[in-house]
Amino acid sequence: MADQDETVSKSDKLKENSKLIDSVPELDDTEPPKVIISNPPTMSIKITSNKLQKSEENKDLEDCQIIIPKTEIIDITDDTGDKETCDEVKKVFSEHDIQEELLIVTPKEESKEPETEVISEDDEMAVNTMPVDTEAVSEDELPPTTLADQTESVSDDELPSENGTGKTKRCSKVLDEQTKEDENELQPEKKLKTEEVKPLTEFDKFWQAVKDDPSDFAGWTYLLQYVDQENNVQNAREAYNKFLELYPYCYGYWRKFADFEKRNNNKDECEIVFQRGLKAIPLSVDLWIHYMTYLKSQHADDIDLIRDKFEKGLETCGLEYRSDRLWDHYIKWEIDQNKLLNAFNIYNRLLATQTLGYLQHFDNFKEFVNKNAPDKFLSVKEYLELRQKVAEGLRMSGSDELLTDDSAPPGEEENTFLSDVSEKELSLLKETIVEMKYKIHKETSKEILKRQAFEEGIKRPYFHVKPLEKCQIENWKDYIALEKEAGDHQRIVVLYERCLIPCALYEEFWLSYLDYLESLDFDASDLINDLFTRACLVHHRKSPELHLKWSTFEESKGNVDKAADILKNLDEAVPHMLQIIYRRINLEKRRDLFEKVCELYEYYINTSHTKFLTSNIAIKYARFLWKCANKIEKAIEVITEIINKDKDNMQDNARLLLQLIELKMSVKPLNEKSVIQIFDDILSMSSVNLEQKILFSQRKLEFIEDYTCDYTSLRKATNEFKCYTELLAREKKKALAAADEEKSKIEKEIKAKQTQDMAVPSSSQVAPTNYQPYNTAGYYPQQYTGYNQATYQQYAPTGQDYSYQYQNWSYPQANYNQTWGSYNYSSNGGSGGY
């Protein structure tokens, strides 16, 4: 029965709803119909208001019931306004899979069911229920809406015909156009999101890390490892070049960079990388060996080129203590070329060189001599002289033996090697060669033993950003001192260059090296200039001392423009440094560019970030204008302007006031009233403390007495000085009284605390008698007695003197005694230091 009643109720509601639709007023022919749509994102129509409103023109609908389907419905009414049109519209929406229950809404049941809105007769009604997941809001929370915002104009052509044939098509057309407009609005938003969100590549991530912190050495290693695996030539070159610009002493990455170019068949670029690396770190034995290996594989036929590069390598880093492998490579290559004479000559140089493997080198040399005939690796002259020496040892005439072969044509010395040599003589020849070189080897060993302890103390001969241990730094200093005592310039230079690789970030070694080069009695300008370039442009870009030293060196060589550029770059790297500012200004002054000097002074005064810096530069500028440019009025104007800007803080800038007084007193002719007025202005400043006012009033009194004849002004100045002095004495007295009061207060607090603490151990003495039965082992009384003694000893006796030093309450004379000297009022005048 309930189901039947519910069915009947729904049927009645549908009938009433159709009646309500039939009662909607028709559209006039003069006014186009309107479609009420409330911003549907995808053909959905949202309710802009849930409250049933009353129409002024249709008040009879106040108690009516409106049946609204909980679906997306657009009600379009034309001139005919017949019921058939509404049925067709409903049919259109049913084709869009709109299948939901109908809701009955009454204006009186607002709390139970959604409210509806009644629209006037001149406007069309379009209603839509809220989506299921939409949050319900109250009437007050909804934004105000107007009918104009909810309606859309439709042309006459889009209206349905009388017979109803084109009505559904036109309704669908309206919906399709609205859907397209919504899609077009969403498309630009999608495009913007796509353009804004660009995923970062791994290369960009690694790059960003080192851009944020260029000193992040680990970040650079990750970046270089990535580009090496990625094998992108452009990215790899960019990363390697930037890294090696910052850390040129990392020979391993020069080698990796060259291998990368070689792997990508860029032979020319590979050789350029090798050349750049060897110029940046010429003492890198590993890089030289790698380069020579590359040349032997790529230019195997160019013997002269390879030999020249080997010689260049030995000349550059042959004195390096760990250069053994480069020597061995060179000797082996000459032996492979069957140039035994060249190999023997290289051995001669190697045995006289202090290297780590000096013992192994001598063994290799003996093996080389014993393995080859002397005439193969000795020159003709050396061989003949050696045979003659051996023959004399055997009491034989070397010349008679050599001339036994009558077929030997005169003048062809090489044929003398064809003469027969006995095995004994050959053995003696080889022994003599080894013995001669052993003497050189022995001398080399002695020199190595002097330096072996220092060489063993070098634990890190390569570059790294990590700091060195203090013992290694001291080891380098002692080693350099030893070489300086030996006096071998070439070895000193090599040792300094070796030291600068692991100690590149230590400024003191660069300065020590420069001092040595500048102390030489011959010109080492090229080496000094190269050293300054490496130090200031690579490793110590913000070192004032190195840059100032470089600027001085360039100026001494006549390169004033370069010196000025060096100071300018340093000023940009390390701004607001007084020493750099003065050096830059004074350089322009020596060039007689007074306009440039004034421009720099004014620039630094306007851009200085501290009052101390401003006052110092302003005083320097005023003295320049006064002494060098003869513009004392301009100097007074500069100082006065600075003082006026900071009148409230003159206690920290008293030097400006003193400079102003000095300038005023130096004006010719002297204007006494102007000087006295300056004194009065200073004494009237609230920021000048009492002690400073006493000094300025004393200075004023001295000036009036020395330079004027006005007794009234003198008496007034005397009374003023006396007044300030008495005022200071009263303040000191008050301060001393306050100090004494504070001292007595502290003493009373300490005595009260002592009395309170002394009462604690006295009361605790009763404890042992109460716990006497537990004293069988003697534990509790001993422990408790010790506690009482410790407690008692923590506090001093009652009569102890708790003294506090209050001598600092006196007011010092600040820095004015140093500036003015001692201005004694009873003195006989004088200029007071001016």
Side-chain angles (χ1 to χ4, degrees):
M1 294 295 295
D3 296 338
Q4 292 178 359
D5 293 339
E6 185 178 359
T7 305
V8 173
S9 176
K10 289 183 179 181
S11 176
D12 295 337
K13 292 176 182 178
L14 288 172
K15 292 178 180 180
E16 293 176 359
N17 188 31
S18 70
K19 291 179 181 180
L20 180 61
I21 295 174
D22 294 338
S23 63
V24 176
E26 297 178 354
L27 296 172
D28 297 333
D29 295 339
T30 58
E31 182 179 356
K34 298 182 180 180
V35 181
I36 302 174
I37 302 174
S38 179
N39 299 328
T42 53
M43 294 179 62
S44 64
I45 305 171
K46 295 183 180 179
I47 299 175
T48 58
S49 178
N50 292 331
K51 185 176 179 181
L52 184 63
Q53 300 177 354
K54 297 180 181 181
S55 173
E56 296 179 358
E57 299 180 2
N58 192 2
K59 297 182 179 180
D60 296 335
L61 296 175
E62 181 177 359
D63 297 328
C64 69
Q65 292 183 349
I66 302 176
I67 302 174
I68 304 175
K70 191 179 180 181
T71 55
E72 302 170 350
I73 297 178
I74 299 177
D75 192 1
I76 301 177
T77 308
D78 63 349
D79 296 338
T80 59
D82 55 359
K83 183 177 180 181
E84 183 180 1
T85 304
C86 296
D87 294 336
E88 291 180 358
V89 172
K90 294 178 182 178
K91 184 177 179 181
V92 171
F93 284 98
S94 64
E95 293 177 356
H96 288 80
D97 298 332
I98 302 174
Q99 298 177 358
E100 296 187 7
E101 296 180 357
L102 302 177
L103 301 177
I104 301 176
V105 182
T106 62
K108 296 181 181 181
E109 297 178 353
E110 295 179 0
S111 60
K112 295 182 180 180
E113 298 181 6
E115 298 176 348
T116 58
E117 179 180 0
V118 177
I119 304 174
S120 62
E121 295 178 357
D122 297 334
D123 300 318
E124 295 299 325
M125 178 178 67
V127 193
N128 183 23
T129 60
M130 297 178 65
V132 178
D133 58 347
T134 305
E135 181 180 359
V137 294
S138 63
E139 170 65 15
D140 298 333
E141 296 175 351
L142 292 174
T145 56
T146 60
L147 293 176
D149 297 332
Q150 302 176 13
T151 59
E152 179 179 350
S153 298
V154 182
S155 63
D156 294 335
D157 297 335
E158 296 177 353
L159 293 175
S161 61
E162 296 181 358
N163 55 11
T165 55
K167 294 175 182 178
T168 58
K169 292 182 180 180
R170 290 190 179 100
C171 292
S172 300
K173 181 178 180 181
V174 173
L175 293 175
D176 292 341
E177 289 179 356
Q178 183 67 29
T179 304
K180 289 180 180 180
E181 291 178 0
D182 295 338
E183 291 177 355
N184 292 333
E185 291 178 357
L186 293 175
Q187 283 180 357
E189 295 180 1
K190 294 180 180 179
K191 291 181 180 179
L192 289 174
K193 292 181 179 178
T194 305
E195 292 178 357
E196 292 176 358
V197 180
K198 291 183 179 180
L200 292 175
T201 62
E202 291 296 324
F203 176 73
D204 295 332
K205 293 178 181 178
F206 286 123
W207 251 124
Q208 190 61 41
V210 296
K211 285 180 179 178
D212 295 339
D213 184 12
S215 62
D216 183 7
F217 193 82
W220 281 108
T221 58
Y222 296 146
L223 172 63
L224 297 179
Q225 182 179 1
Y226 174 78
V227 297
D228 198 63
Q229 296 175 356
E230 185 190 25
N231 206 33
N232 186 307
V233 176
Q234 184 177 357
N235 291 345
R237 288 176 179 173
E238 183 180 3
Y240 273 114
N241 287 327
K242 189 62 179 178
F243 171 78
L244 293 172
E245 179 183 345
L246 296 175
Y247 304 105
Y249 280 161
C250 293
Y251 69 90
Y253 287 99
W254 285 109
R255 186 176 62 189
K256 289 184 178 182
F257 191 11
D259 290 342
F260 177 84
E261 296 290 357
K262 179 183 177 183
R263 189 167 63 247
N264 288 275
N265 297 322
N266 300 322
K267 295 182 180 180
D268 295 338
E269 292 294 333
C270 179
E271 293 192 15
I272 292 175
V273 170
F274 272 124
Q275 295 295 335
R276 289 172 56 196
L278 293 174
K279 182 180 180 181
I281 179 170
L283 289 182
S284 175
V285 178
D286 290 336
L287 190 58
W288 272 107
I289 293 174
H290 202 64
Y291 179 46
M292 298 312 303
T293 303
Y294 169 80
L295 289 179
K296 287 188 289 185
S297 63
Q298 300 295 326
H299 306 278
D301 298 335
D302 198 342
I303 305 298
D304 295 335
L305 174 64
I306 297 174
R307 184 174 288 114
D308 290 343
K309 294 301 180 182
F310 265 123
E311 288 295 333
K312 180 66 175 178
L314 293 182
E315 180 184 353
T316 304
C317 68
L319 294 179
E320 220 279 355
Y321 188 70
R322 293 173 174 81
S323 62
D324 309 87
R325 293 187 298 128
L326 182 60
W327 289 95
D328 292 338
H329 274 75
Y330 191 13
I331 292 172
K332 185 178 181 302
W333 181 78
E334 290 289 3
I335 293 174
D336 293 341
Q337 303 300 319
N338 200 23
K339 301 293 182 180
L340 301 181
L341 177 60
N342 294 342
F344 180 78
N345 292 332
I346 297 171
Y347 267 121
N348 285 336
R349 295 156 58 189
L350 176 59
L351 294 177
T353 304
Q354 302 170 22
T355 60
L356 178 63
Y358 68 102
L359 295 175
Q360 183 63 41
H361 294 324
F362 187 70
D363 293 339
N364 294 339
F365 173 71
K366 290 191 293 184
E367 182 181 354
F368 172 79
V369 172
N370 294 327
K371 187 177 180 180
N372 299 284
D375 60 336
K376 300 295 183 181
F377 55 79
L378 291 176
S379 65
V380 175
K381 183 179 179 180
E382 290 175 339
Y383 181 72
L384 292 176
E385 290 177 354
L386 184 62
R387 282 195 62 185
Q388 185 176 0
K389 183 178 180 180
V390 171
E392 288 178 356
L394 296 173
R395 296 180 179 179
M396 296 175 60
S397 176
S399 58
D400 293 343
E401 184 177 353
L402 290 174
L403 295 176
T404 54
D405 188 0
D406 297 334
S407 61
E412 296 185 9
E413 297 177 354
E414 61 274 10
N415 290 338
T416 58
F417 293 119
L418 300 176
S419 58
D420 296 333
V421 179
S422 63
E423 293 182 0
K424 184 177 181 179
E425 184 182 1
L426 182 61
S427 177
L428 287 174
L429 287 173
K430 293 181 178 180
E431 290 178 2
T432 303
I433 294 171
V434 173
E435 184 179 356
M436 291 169 59
K437 299 306 176 184
Y438 178 74
K439 294 179 181 180
I440 299 175
H441 171 68
K442 190 174 182 179
E443 292 295 327
T444 304
S445 301
K446 290 180 181 180
E447 296 297 326
I448 290 176
L449 291 176
K450 294 179 183 179
R451 298 163 173 81
Q452 190 169 6
F454 298 108
E455 292 290 348
E456 291 176 355
I458 300 173
K459 305 300 182 182
R460 196 179 80 183
Y462 54 87
F463 170 82
H464 204 283
V465 293
K466 294 181 180 179
L468 278 173
E469 297 177 357
K470 187 176 181 180
C471 60
Q472 294 193 49
I473 295 176
E474 295 299 326
N475 181 71
W476 280 111
K477 292 180 180 179
D478 296 339
Y479 197 1
I480 291 171
L482 175 68
E483 288 293 353
K484 286 183 177 180
E485 290 179 2
D488 189 338
H489 170 70
Q490 191 174 5
R491 290 196 59 83
I492 294 172
V493 170
V494 171
L495 183 59
Y496 263 121
E497 293 291 347
R498 287 179 60 195
C499 172
L500 290 179
I501 294 174
C503 304
L505 302 181
Y506 293 87
E507 183 178 345
E508 56 185 308
F509 290 102
W510 295 91
L511 293 171
S512 176
Y513 192 11
L514 287 167
D515 291 340
Y516 166 74
L517 294 177
E518 291 175 350
S519 65
L520 297 174
D521 54 359
F522 58 89
D523 187 16
S525 299
D526 294 339
L527 189 57
I528 293 175
N529 191 46
D530 176 67
L531 190 62
F532 273 125
T533 303
R534 285 185 286 153
C536 298
L537 299 184
V538 180
H539 302 287
H540 296 278
R541 302 184 181 186
K542 295 183 179 181
S543 170
E545 189 171 359
L546 281 170
H547 282 79
L548 293 176
K549 202 175 182 67
W550 188 16
S551 175
T552 303
F553 170 76
E554 293 295 343
E555 188 178 0
S556 66
K557 298 297 180 181
N559 302 324
V560 184
D561 292 337
K562 186 174 182 180
D565 291 339
I566 292 170
L567 293 176
K568 180 181 178 181
N569 295 332
L570 177 62
D571 188 26
E572 293 175 355
V574 189
H576 309 301
M577 188 171 181
L578 205 56
Q579 185 181 9
I580 301 172
I581 293 172
Y582 289 163
R583 184 69 68 86
R584 189 179 178 191
I585 291 173
N586 292 333
L587 176 62
E588 300 299 337
K589 190 188 302 181
R590 289 191 293 272
R591 300 170 69 182
D592 295 331
L593 300 177
F594 283 3
E595 293 184 1
K596 182 67 174 178
V597 172
C598 295
E599 180 182 343
L600 289 175
Y601 268 125
E602 293 175 359
Y603 168 77
Y604 288 121
I605 289 173
N606 295 328
T607 59
S608 61
H609 65 298
T610 62
K611 297 175 182 177
F612 172 80
L613 195 64
T614 304
S615 60
N616 277 273
I617 298 174
I619 291 172
K620 286 277 189 180
Y621 186 26
R623 290 176 180 172
F624 167 77
L625 292 172
W626 173 26
K627 299 293 185 180
C628 299
N630 295 322
K631 297 180 180 180
I632 192 169
E633 296 297 334
K634 176 68 174 176
I636 294 174
E637 181 182 346
V638 170
I639 296 297
T640 304
E641 183 180 357
I642 300 299
I643 292 174
N644 292 334
K645 288 181 179 179
D646 197 25
K647 277 188 176 181
D648 297 333
N649 296 287
M650 279 297 105
Q651 70 274 9
D652 298 329
N653 288 325
R655 289 185 61 200
L656 288 170
L657 301 176
L658 294 173
Q659 186 63 45
L660 180 60
I661 294 172
E662 182 181 5
L663 291 171
K664 282 289 187 179
M665 293 177 64
S666 301
V667 175
K668 296 180 181 179
L670 178 62
N671 188 345
E672 295 87 354
K673 293 183 179 180
S674 176
V675 177
I676 294 174
Q677 183 62 41
I678 291 296
F679 277 115
D680 292 338
D681 292 342
I682 294 173
L683 293 172
S684 64
M685 291 181 181
S686 60
S687 60
V688 178
N689 59 41
L690 185 57
E691 292 182 0
Q692 293 173 341
K693 287 184 178 181
I694 291 175
L695 296 175
F696 281 112
S697 63
Q698 181 183 0
R699 189 70 183 88
K700 174 185 176 182
L701 181 59
E702 292 175 358
F703 174 79
I704 293 175
E705 189 173 10
D706 293 340
Y707 295 99
T708 67
C709 301
D710 189 357
Y711 176 76
T712 304
S713 300
L714 179 61
R715 186 174 180 178
K716 182 180 178 182
T718 303
N719 294 333
E720 187 179 37
F721 174 73
K722 184 178 178 181
C723 180
Y724 284 128
T725 305
E726 292 176 353
L727 183 61
L728 178 61
R730 288 197 298 269
E731 288 191 358
K732 284 185 177 181
K733 187 176 180 180
K734 289 181 181 179
L736 290 175
D740 292 338
E741 184 180 355
E742 184 69 18
K743 179 181 178 180
S744 61
K745 183 179 179 182
I746 294 174
E747 288 179 353
K748 289 180 181 179
E749 291 178 356
I750 293 175
K751 288 180 180 180
K753 188 175 182 181
Q754 281 182 343
T755 304
Q756 183 180 0
D757 293 338
M758 290 295 290
V760 176
S762 62
S763 62
S764 62
Q765 291 177 357
V766 185
T769 58
N770 296 336
Y771 294 91
Q772 189 65 31
Y774 295 94
N775 195 17
T776 56
Y779 177 73
Y780 287 102
Q782 292 177 2
Q783 183 186 29
Y784 211 76
T785 302
Y787 173 77
N788 296 337
Q789 293 174 357
T791 306
Y792 182 78
Q793 292 173 359
Q794 290 178 358
Y795 302 97
T798 307
Q800 184 176 352
D801 183 19
Y802 292 87
S803 61
Y804 288 81
Q805 301 297 328
Y806 289 95
Q807 65 271 21
N808 291 332
W809 283 97
S810 60
Y811 286 80
Q813 296 298 325
N815 296 326
Y816 297 97
N817 290 339
Q818 299 177 3
T819 306
W820 283 343
S822 58
Y823 292 100
N824 189 359
Y825 174 67
S826 61
S827 62
N828 295 324
S831 61
Y834 292 94

